[in-house]
Amino acid sequence: IKKKQQDLLGFLEANKIGFEEKDIAASEENRKWMRENVPENSRPATGYPLPPQIFNESQYRGDYDAFFEARENNSVYAFLGLTAPPGSKEAEAQAQQQA
């Protein structure tokens, strides 16, 4: 879990994507919020969803595996619900699709 969290945070920081980290280990309120806001179809069959879980404000975007797949496909900004910065691989790929 820690390695996935560090990988995600490192990517966000390196790409200057603003974020707010919520520690569910230190806050029952954060833990409860995460559990209530992960959609039913994204929860494990047993137990609770494990961090990191990714949200844009209160909109659920996915878990680490979904983030990793988006990163591999150069579609992280779309995954996060953000506009890709001009000149990025993702912005160039979107421009080619629209052409």
Side-chain angles (χ1 to χ4, degrees), residues 16-53:
K16 297 178 175 52
I17 299 171
F19 64 92
E20 178 184 352
E21 184 178 1
K22 295 197 177 209
D23 187 347
I24 64 166
S27 170
E28 180 62 35
E29 184 178 320
N30 287 343
R31 185 171 31 255
K32 183 179 177 192
W33 186 89
M34 183 193 79
R35 289 177 180 169
E36 290 173 352
N37 287 283
V38 171
E40 194 69 39
N41 63 344
S42 297
R43 295 179 186 179
T46 59
Y48 295 108
L50 296 174
Q53 297 293 325

Side-chain angles (χ1 to χ4, degrees), residues 32-90:
K32 183 179 177 192
W33 186 89
M34 183 193 79
R35 289 177 180 169
E36 290 173 352
N37 287 283
V38 171
E40 194 69 39
N41 63 344
S42 297
R43 295 179 186 179
T46 59
Y48 295 108
L50 296 174
Q53 297 293 325
I54 303 150
F55 293 84
N56 183 338
E57 300 297 329
S58 61
Q59 184 181 28
Y60 182 70
R61 304 308 295 183
D63 61 7
Y64 177 82
D65 292 335
F67 161 77
F68 184 83
E69 186 175 320
R71 190 172 65 185
E72 291 294 307
N73 294 326
N74 289 321
S75 61
V76 173
Y77 288 91
F79 167 75
L80 295 173
L82 304 172
T83 303
S88 69
K89 288 181 182 178
E90 189 170 339

Side-chain angles (χ1 to χ4, degrees), residues 6-17 67 71 76:
Q6 289 172 338
D7 184 37
L8 174 60
L9 295 176
F11 179 88
L12 296 173
E13 290 169 353
N15 288 283
K16 297 178 175 52
I17 299 171
F67 161 77
R71 190 172 65 185
V76 173

